[in-house]
């Protein structure tokens, strides 16, 4: 069908015109794509700047900032659990264990715990009964309810040493952790392993038949989630300056799980939102806002004694009204919307 | 070596289950010349465990039919305790009430507690779980947690934050009789006397009645059950009703047995009962009972011999061991494809 | 008599289980509790052959399939692939060795797109691990790109229109879903493809096209195929050898025409009536 000998001729001129037109279209479409990309980049940069500079709006030691840092630490936790529960679809009710391991690790090494010897000979377990009557040296593993305190805060090169009066460096460290966890989450979602997790969650048998090693893949999910749980746990222990057994109740696991589910299972930004919302409900709305509210409305009942119930009520309401979560994962939304894909190459552009 | 491995894979589970009582039994024989102590541990374990068994059945029934861990169930049990002890005041049951007034009074409070808890469970299902039938399986889990918190707050408002004594109406620790040195108390008899008939009734109901068949069918395949004309919604409600009534009964027994009640008792009981249900094979009523009894025994042996701090470690260590050695649970059915 | 040739359909003599066979099963049985689903079946598949397994419902065909792919563990017997014992191997290892399958009721990953489904099929042929997936060094990026290209190519090969490659599997038509399943199975570069009732729900036209496609797979990609089928036309058309199971036992095996005329086979399908097909 081609002209063959290099002479354009009438047919050739038509072709050139068509080529030029198509090139023009492509150039315009290309421009549009680039414009979209630049716009997106600009938005991301502005948002990042806002997030980084946020603490300057508040006093360095303000309680809001205190709660905010805790919320950010919870975001890291929730994103870690998201890998296990959201991506791979594995129900994990023991997530608090990794929080504990991280917290105790920094407790051991960040304080004089191992270094001081008890004033009595040998070091004893803080338990009673059979075990403590055995002679010999016991290793002090946990300090039970009393806990290990104080814990030296972390020292990072270049930043001023942390102190409880200036919460900003804590915030930025926490933000750094979030950045890492986000990167890991996003990268894994669109990778061989991420796809294996979704397949595993959908249909384990089919996944195995397609070559996905079940045990190894599940372990990878747990390991990744655990790593972030531990990381955040170490941070929180250092931040709160204490680690003791009371912090590690079963309800903590449920709390973080609620963040993941509320945010929208598997949806990365949903989980971020869920973590922030629940953390603030827990540390701010219920302790501070609601008691004030009751006096403003003139209710005689002391609403603080209802804080459990209010929290539970909020959970129920949020789930019943929006079971798919605050920002549901793209996949679940797409189930209900007919969507004509433009081809595989565009799919990578669609993601975050 | 191969023979040893095969022996281990068949009998490891039994070894694990027996190792505690046998080891301490031997210790007792050596130390005291008799097995009275271990027998007493086991007796206490069974009567305590019977209470867990009743609560565990609720978990196992609900999970069997809609694959939901009803986190609020333990707190329904707590409400059962609170309702029944509250009734004692209303009915004027005190330590001085004679047997003629006590027995009917207790039976009445039993019935009312069962009805109250059954209805509560049905209500929770209707409000919190049914709307989420189509949602991912983890969503109703959060509503369950929400209800758990709400119920705990109710308990908190009702009787305050600390453990509260209730009148020891049955003189729970009164010695009834003596089997070879082991004292059987009224509390023990009460526990078994309530659990056994209820379990028998339930199992008969499940096996013989139309609704029981409907429940079993729905548990296996809700779609097919619906196509066969079974009203799945009603069947699920009945399941919750049954679980709730058993929890209510357990609540009353617990109050009479322990003579204290606490707003937090439900959370603790829920954890134990759910563990028992899983251990015994989730979905299996006998398994829940067995699991409850086993955990009761582990707890007693541990509390009595090693100290309370080790109890949880042992209980959950056993759970892990049983799950590893027999993933479907002690009496569970093998439902998965291999590999 | 070796099995390395490319046979023309319907003209090769029946293969006996031999060491040259691509896959061979010796005296394989499977019992579930008291129920004996498969009983002492000896069976082999020649390299690049197209063979079928037929039998009335409940004969044990899918159970046998599941044993070949590692989903069930045989109660007794030995299965070897290319001389290697795979009797107790995990399903994902078996896939990595080169056996792939489709399912009787389509088991695609519903919330993944057609393309992503095929990408999962390539899992065994890709190497990116946890760290690699996070850091995305050039090697991993190249692997992802070529995996995407391969997936697209496979979907095109099975005849899926490009416009639906980005659709979620739940939203595809039945026929397209079947195609994606086959593409997904081919994604692991198998030497043996097990198809479980691939023509279910197809009309005569589509079945004919599938037959041609199977021959194409064998000739172009060197894939051997084992087929469970109920559509006798397809079986007669494409099989080099047919094996018949009934109540878990092998009751006949041989060329399609031979088996069709075997009175035991007729009886198995029609019941004890003694009439001809």
């Amino acid at each position: 069908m081609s002209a063959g000998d290099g002479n354009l001729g009438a047919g050739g001129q038509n072709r050139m015109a068509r080529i030029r037109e198509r090139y023009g279209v492509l150039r315009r479409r290309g421009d549009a794509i680039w414009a979209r990309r630049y716009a997106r980049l600009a938005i991301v940069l502005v948002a990042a700047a806002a997030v980084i500079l946020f603490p300057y709006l508040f006093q360095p030691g303000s309680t809001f900032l205190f709660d905010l840092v805790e919320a950010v630490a919870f975001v890291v936790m929730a994103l870690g659990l998201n890998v296990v529960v959201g991506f791979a679809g594995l129900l994990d009710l023991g997530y608090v264990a990794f929080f504990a391991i991280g917290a105790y690790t920094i407790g051991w090494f960040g304080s004089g715990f191992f270094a001081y010897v008890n004033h009595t000979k040998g070091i004893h377990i803080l338990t009673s009964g059979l075990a403590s009557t055995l002679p010999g040296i016991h290793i002090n593993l946990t300090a039970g309810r009393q806990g290990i305190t104080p814990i030296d805060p972390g020292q990072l090169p270049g930043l001023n040493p942390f102190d409880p009066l200036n919460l900003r460096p804590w915030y930025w460290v926490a933000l750094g952790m979030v950045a890492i966890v986000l990167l890991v989450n996003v990268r894994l979602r669109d990778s061989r392993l991420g796809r294996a997790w979704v397949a595993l969650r959908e249909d384990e048998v089919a996944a195995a038949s397609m070559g996905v090693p079940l045990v190894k893949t599940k372990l990878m999910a747990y390991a990744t989630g655990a790593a972030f749980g531990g990381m955040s746990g170490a941070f929180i222990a250092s931040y709160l300056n204490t680690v003791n057994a009371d912090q590690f109740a079963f309800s903590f696991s449920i709390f973080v799980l609620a963040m993941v589910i509320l945010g929208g299972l598997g949806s990365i930004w949903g989980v971020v939102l869920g973590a922030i919302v629940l953390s603030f409900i827990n540390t701010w709305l219920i302790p501070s806002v609601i008691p004030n509210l009751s006096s403003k409305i003139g209710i005689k009942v002391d609403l603080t004694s209802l804080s459990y119930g209010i929290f539970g009520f909020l959970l129920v309401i949020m789930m019943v009204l929006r079971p798919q979560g605050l920002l549901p994962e793209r996949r679940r939304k797409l189930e209900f919307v007919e969507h004509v894909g433009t081809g595989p190459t565009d799919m990578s552009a669609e993601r975050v | 070596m191969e023979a040893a491995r095969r022996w281990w894979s068949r009998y490891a589970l039994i070894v694990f289950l027996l190792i505690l009582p046998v080891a301490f039994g031997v210790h007792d024989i050596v130390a005291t010349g008799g097995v009275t102590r271990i027998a007493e541990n086991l007796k206490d374990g069974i009567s305590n465990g019977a209470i867990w068994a009743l609560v565990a059945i609720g978990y196992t029934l609900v999970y069997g039919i809609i694959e939901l861990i009803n986190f609020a169930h333990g707190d329904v049990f707590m409400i059962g305790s609170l309702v029944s002890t509250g009734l004692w005041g209303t009915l004027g049951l005190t330590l001085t009430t004679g047997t003629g007034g006590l027995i009917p009074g207790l039976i009445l409070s039993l019935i009312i507690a069962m009805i109250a808890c059954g209805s509560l469970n049905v209500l929770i299902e209707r409000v919190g779980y049914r709307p989420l039938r189509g949602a991912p399986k983890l969503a109703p889990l959060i509503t369950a947690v929400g209800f758990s918190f709400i119920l705990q707050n109710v308990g908190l408002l009702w009787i305050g934050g600390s453990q509260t004594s209730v009148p020891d109406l049955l003189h729970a620790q009164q010695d009834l009789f003596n089997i070879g040195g082991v004292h059987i108390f009224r509390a023990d008899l009460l526990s078994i006397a309530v659990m056994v008939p209820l379990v028998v009734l339930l199992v008969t109901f499940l096996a013989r009645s139309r609704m029981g068949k409907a429940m079993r069918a729905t548990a296996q395949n809700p779609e097919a059950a619906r196509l066969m004309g079974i009203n799945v919604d009603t069947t699920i409600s009945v399941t919750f009703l049954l679980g709730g009534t058993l929890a209510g009964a357990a609540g009353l027994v617990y109050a009479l047995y322990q003579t204290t009640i606490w707003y937090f008792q439900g959370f603790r009981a829920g954890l134990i009962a759910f563990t028992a249900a899983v251990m015994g094979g989730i979905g299996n009523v006998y398994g829940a009972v067995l699991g409850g009894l086993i955990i009761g025994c582990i707890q007693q042996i541990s509390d009595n011999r090693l100290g309370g701090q080790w109890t949880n470690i042992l209980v959950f260590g056993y759970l892990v061991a049983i799950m590893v050695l027999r993933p479907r649970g002690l009496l569970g059915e093998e439902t998965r494809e291999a590999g | 008599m070796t099995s390395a040739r490319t046979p023309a359909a319907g003209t090769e003599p029946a293969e006996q289980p031999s060491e040259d066979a691509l896959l061979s099963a010796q005296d394989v049985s499977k019992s579930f509790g008291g129920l004996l689903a498969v009983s002492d079946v000896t069976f082999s598949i020649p390299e690049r052959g197209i063979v079928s397994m037929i039998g009335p419902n409940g004969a044990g065909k899918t159970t046998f399939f599941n044993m070949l792919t590692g989903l069930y563990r045989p109660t007794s017997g030995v299965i070897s692939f290319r001389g290697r014992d795979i009797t107790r191997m995990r399903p994902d290892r078996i896939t990595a060795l080169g056996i792939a399958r489709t399912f009787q009721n389509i088991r695609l990953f519903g919330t993944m797109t057609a393309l992503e489904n095929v990408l999962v099929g390539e899992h065994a042929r890709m190497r990116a691990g946890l760290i690699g997936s996070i850091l995305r060094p050039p090697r991993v990026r190249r692997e992802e790109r070529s995996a995407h290209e391969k997936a697209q190519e496979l979907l095109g090969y099975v005849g899926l229109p490009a416009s639906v490659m980005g659709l979620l599997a739940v939203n595809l038509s039945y026929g397209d879903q079947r195609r994606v399943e086959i593409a997904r199975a081919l994604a692991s570069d198998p030497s043996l493809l097990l198809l479980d009732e691939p023509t279910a729900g197809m009309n005569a036209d589509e079945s004919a096209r599938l037959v041609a496609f199977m021959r194409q797979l064998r000739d172009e990609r060197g894939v051997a195929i084992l087929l469970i089928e109920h559509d006798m036309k397809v079986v007669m058309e494409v099989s080099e050898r047919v094996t018949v199971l009934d109540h878990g036992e092998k009751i006949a095996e041989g060329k399609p025409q031979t088996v069709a005329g075997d009175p035991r086979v007729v009886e198995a399908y029609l019941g004890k009536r003694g009439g001809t097909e």
Side-chain angles (χ1 to χ4, degrees):
Chain A
M1 281 265 289
S2 51
D5 64 353
N7 253 8
L8 281 183
Q13 266 171 344
N14 277 345
R15 251 181 342 120
M16 275 310 289
R18 260 183 288 138
I19 291 173
R20 230 179 277 124
E21 182 193 299
R22 188 171 300 167
Y23 178 65
V25 168
L26 279 175
R27 246 257 302 261
R28 262 176 277 132
R29 195 192 293 169
D31 282 342
I33 291 180
W34 275 111
R36 268 213 322 260
R37 288 201 180 140
Y38 279 136
R40 195 174 287 172
L41 190 63
I43 294 176
V44 166
L45 283 177
V46 169
V51 166
I52 293 176
L53 298 175
F54 196 56
Y56 284 114
L57 291 174
F58 303 94
Q59 291 298 328
S62 81
T63 38
F64 181 77
L65 210 47
F66 189 82
D67 293 337
L68 182 65
V69 175
E70 201 168 319
V72 176
F74 270 114
V75 167
V76 177
M77 281 264 181
L79 283 175
L81 188 60
N82 185 41
V83 170
V84 182
V85 174
F87 287 176
L90 306 165
L91 177 60
D92 186 352
L93 293 176
Y95 198 60
V96 71
F98 306 118
F99 171 34
I101 294 175
Y104 273 117
T105 307
I106 211 176
W108 293 336
F109 296 112
S111 67
F113 197 61
F114 279 148
Y116 296 119
V117 176
N118 232 342
H119 57 268
T120 58
K121 285 249 162 64
I123 309 170
H124 299 275
I125 307 179
L126 261 72
T127 60
S128 59
L130 188 69
S132 69
T133 61
L134 295 175
I137 302 175
H138 306 267
I139 303 177
N140 212 343
L141 273 184
T142 78
R145 292 244 140 82
Q146 276 178 329
I148 306 173
T149 185
I151 300 179
D152 290 339
Q155 308 271 22
L156 284 183
L159 287 176
N160 291 330
F162 298 156
D163 81 87
L165 295 178
N166 181 9
L167 294 173
R168 290 184 193 145
W170 292 105
Y171 176 78
W172 289 317
V173 171
L175 218 54
M177 288 196 306
V178 169
I180 296 175
V181 168
L182 270 180
L183 177 76
V184 170
N185 261 280
V186 168
R187 283 275 169 91
L188 283 180
R189 185 181 57 183
D190 298 320
S191 69
R192 171 179 177 250
L193 192 54
R195 289 187 296 261
W197 283 334
V198 179
L200 173 51
R201 163 179 111 204
E202 274 278 335
D203 188 341
E204 213 174 78
V205 168
S209 302
M210 294 306 128
V212 174
L214 292 183
V215 174
K216 177 165 173 226
T217 311
K218 289 180 188 179
L219 281 179
M220 288 284 142
Y222 274 116
T224 313
F228 291 122
M231 183 167 93
S232 182
F235 174 82
I236 291 181
S238 187
Y239 180 61
L240 296 178
N241 207 26
T242 179
V243 56
N244 64 64
D246 282 330
Q247 291 173 311
F248 310 122
F250 173 63
S251 37
F252 183 88
S253 296
I254 303 292
F255 190 48
V256 183
L257 185 64
M259 292 174 186
V260 174
I261 295 179
L262 192 77
L265 270 177
S267 150
I268 293 177
W269 294 108
V271 168
V272 171
L273 188 60
I276 295 178
V277 166
L278 275 187
S279 182
F280 267 108
I281 289 180
N282 192 36
T283 55
W284 177 66
L285 183 74
I286 289 177
S288 317
V289 171
I290 295 206
N292 294 336
L293 206 61
S294 64
S295 60
K296 283 202 187 124
I297 302 183
I299 302 177
K300 287 274 176 0
V301 178
D302 175 18
L303 282 181
T304 40
S305 63
L306 288 181
S307 48
Y308 251 139
I310 292 177
F311 188 71
F313 180 72
L314 286 174
L315 282 182
V316 173
I317 289 289
M318 289 197 275
M319 286 319 294
V320 169
L321 292 181
R322 198 161 164 93
Q324 66 269 50
L326 294 170
L327 297 174
E329 201 191 358
R330 243 178 95 243
R331 295 179 199 286
R332 296 193 202 274
K333 267 198 296 191
L334 284 178
E335 276 182 298
F336 307 104
V337 173
E338 201 81 69
H339 154 107
V340 180
T342 44
T345 45
D346 260 39
M347 286 192 6
S348 35
E350 279 281 80
R351 312 259 191 214
V352 173
Chain B
M1 205 49 229
E2 176 60 41
R5 220 163 45 88
R6 240 177 297 132
W7 182 91
W8 177 252
S9 69
R10 293 187 75 189
Y11 296 109
L13 193 58
I14 306 196
V15 167
F16 249 112
L17 288 175
L18 291 179
I19 202 171
L20 267 188
V22 167
F24 282 110
V26 166
H27 169 269
D28 282 345
I29 295 179
V30 164
T32 63
V35 288
T36 321
R37 192 171 166 201
I38 189 72
E40 225 162 53
N41 289 151
L42 290 177
K43 181 259 314 177
D44 287 330
I46 290 179
S47 61
N48 257 301
I51 302 178
W52 303 146
L54 286 173
V55 184
I57 291 179
Y59 276 101
T60 214
L61 285 178
V62 165
Y63 190 89
I65 207 166
I66 54 174
E67 288 187 348
L68 167 73
I69 305 171
N70 183 6
F71 269 118
H73 190 72
D75 300 289
V76 169
F77 153 76
M78 176 267 298
I79 296 287
S81 284
L82 267 52
V83 164
S84 32
T85 52
L87 271 171
W88 297 349
T90 320
L91 293 174
L93 299 174
T94 64
L95 283 168
T96 55
T97 316
T99 320
L102 203 56
I103 301 290
L106 283 179
I107 294 187
L108 186 62
S109 43
L110 176 70
I111 294 177
I112 294 185
M114 286 170 73
I115 294 177
C117 289
S119 324
L120 179 62
N121 227 13
V122 171
L123 181 71
I124 292 178
E125 191 268 328
R126 193 64 193 76
V127 169
Y129 306 151
R130 191 178 297 187
L132 297 176
R133 286 272 174 84
K137 279 270 157 19
L138 292 177
L141 210 69
I142 299 302
T143 17
V145 170
F147 277 114
S148 172
F149 284 152
I150 293 176
L151 290 177
Q152 279 179 40
N153 210 156
V154 168
L156 196 59
L157 291 173
W158 194 335
I159 57 167
S162 39
Q163 308 201 26
T164 311
S165 290
V166 293
D168 182 7
L169 290 180
L170 266 189
H171 305 286
Q173 297 306 313
Q174 192 167 72
D175 212 338
L176 271 181
F177 48 86
N178 204 313
I179 302 181
V182 177
H183 297 265
I184 311 284
F185 301 122
R186 283 189 174 188
D188 303 320
L189 198 62
L190 167 76
S191 190
I192 303 291
V194 171
M195 179 199 79
V196 171
L198 283 178
V199 170
V200 169
L201 274 173
L202 178 72
V203 171
T204 318
F205 178 79
L206 282 179
R208 301 279 185 81
S209 74
R210 266 189 78 198
M211 180 50 78
K213 285 208 185 77
M215 284 168 64
R216 279 181 290 138
T218 313
Q220 290 212 14
N221 190 337
E223 270 315 298
R226 195 172 282 130
L227 291 173
M228 293 298 115
I230 292 176
N231 185 332
V232 169
D233 284 343
T234 311
T235 310
I236 293 179
S237 292
V238 170
T239 311
F240 274 83
L241 180 71
L242 290 176
T245 50
L246 289 177
L252 173 70
V253 172
Y254 182 87
L256 285 172
Y257 191 108
Q258 301 279 18
T259 66
T260 47
I261 54 178
W262 190 26
Y263 84 99
F264 204 62
Q265 77 185 53
F267 185 79
R268 237 184 22 178
L271 207 51
I272 295 175
F274 176 61
T275 306
V278 171
M279 208 190 255
I282 195 96
N284 186 312
V285 171
Y286 287 129
V289 173
L290 185 61
L293 296 178
I294 291 179
I295 291 188
C297 291
I298 299 175
Q299 284 180 318
Q300 283 306 311
I301 295 179
S302 172
D303 281 346
N304 188 255
R305 313 287 186 138
L306 301 172
Q309 305 90 319
W310 292 99
T311 307
N312 272 343
I313 294 181
L314 271 186
V315 168
F316 293 110
Y318 260 84
L319 174 69
V320 171
I322 292 180
M323 285 295 107
V324 167
L325 292 173
R326 204 182 176 92
R328 52 192 146 111
L330 292 170
L331 299 181
E333 286 141 15
E334 180 132 35
T335 48
R336 307 176 173 270
E337 297 165 44
Chain C
M1 259 299 279
T2 67
S3 28
R5 306 278 152 164
T6 309
T11 56
E12 276 293 289
E15 297 274 16
Q16 296 299 79
S18 68
E19 290 76 48
D20 296 16
L22 181 63
L23 176 130
S24 103
Q26 289 281 117
D27 295 314
V28 171
S29 302
K30 177 68 183 168
S31 68
F32 294 104
L35 175 69
L36 190 60
V38 172
S39 173
D40 284 324
V41 170
T42 296
F43 179 78
S44 74
I45 303 174
E47 193 95 44
R48 289 168 167 247
I50 302 184
V51 299
S52 295
M53 185 176 269
I54 65 174
N57 279 317
K61 310 185 295 288
T62 301
T63 308
F64 188 72
F65 246 40
N66 285 342
M67 285 193 281
L68 294 182
T69 55
L71 289 181
Y72 291 159
R73 191 169 286 185
T75 313
S76 64
V78 176
I79 305 176
S80 16
F81 183 70
R82 290 224 161 100
R84 202 161 156 180
D85 186 351
I86 61 168
T87 321
R88 292 190 201 310
M89 229 180 235
R90 277 182 353 230
D92 56 277
R93 296 277 309 122
I94 292 182
T95 305
L97 283 182
I99 301 181
R101 73 170 292 171
T102 64
F103 291 91
Q104 195 175 349
N105 357 345
I106 301 182
R107 285 174 95 148
L108 289 179
F109 306 117
T111 59
M112 297 176 99
T113 65
L115 193 79
E116 288 168 336
N117 266 275
V118 179
L119 285 171
V120 173
E122 294 184 52
H123 189 95
R125 302 291 168 225
M126 294 171 73
R127 284 177 43 214
L130 179 64
I131 305 294
S133 299
I134 296 174
L135 297 178
R136 291 250 180 108
R139 180 176 62 84
V140 169
R141 271 183 271 143
R142 255 180 280 132
E143 189 183 67
E144 277 287 306
R145 246 199 319 272
S146 64
H148 273 83
E149 280 163 12
K150 178 174 165 188
Q152 269 174 274
E153 185 245 336
L154 278 173
L155 285 174
Y157 187 73
V158 299
L160 197 77
S163 55
V164 305
M165 285 188 196
L167 283 189
L168 289 184
V170 282
N171 295 331
L172 294 174
S173 70
Y174 183 78
D176 281 343
Q177 286 182 351
R178 280 236 169 262
R179 290 195 188 94
V180 174
E181 256 227 326
I182 295 180
R184 188 178 65 171
L186 290 174
S188 56
D189 293 328
S191 358
L192 171 61
L193 187 60
L194 305 181
L195 299 175
D196 198 342
E197 298 195 32
T199 64
M202 286 188 185
N203 60 34
D205 228 18
E206 294 164 330
S207 302
R209 262 182 285 148
L210 183 69
V211 167
F213 180 72
M214 285 194 271
R215 292 206 189 103
Q216 211 183 338
L217 275 181
R218 178 198 58 199
D219 299 335
E220 287 177 15
R221 293 186 178 233
V223 178
I225 297 180
L226 166 60
L227 204 57
I228 292 182
E229 246 319 319
H230 278 300
D231 183 342
M232 286 307 147
K233 267 200 71 194
V234 168
V235 172
M236 294 300 150
E237 185 59 43
V238 80
S239 323
E240 295 148 25
R241 190 195 74 210
V242 176
T243 307
V244 187
L245 288 192
D246 184 27
H247 288 96
E249 293 177 342
K250 182 160 89 169
I251 61 171
E253 186 171 71
K255 282 200 286 180
Q257 296 87 338
T258 325
V259 166
D262 189 326
R264 279 174 302 166
V265 174
V266 175
E267 184 182 308
Y269 270 100
L270 299 178
K272 281 180 166 56
R273 253 198 264 144
T276 50
E277 244 253 14

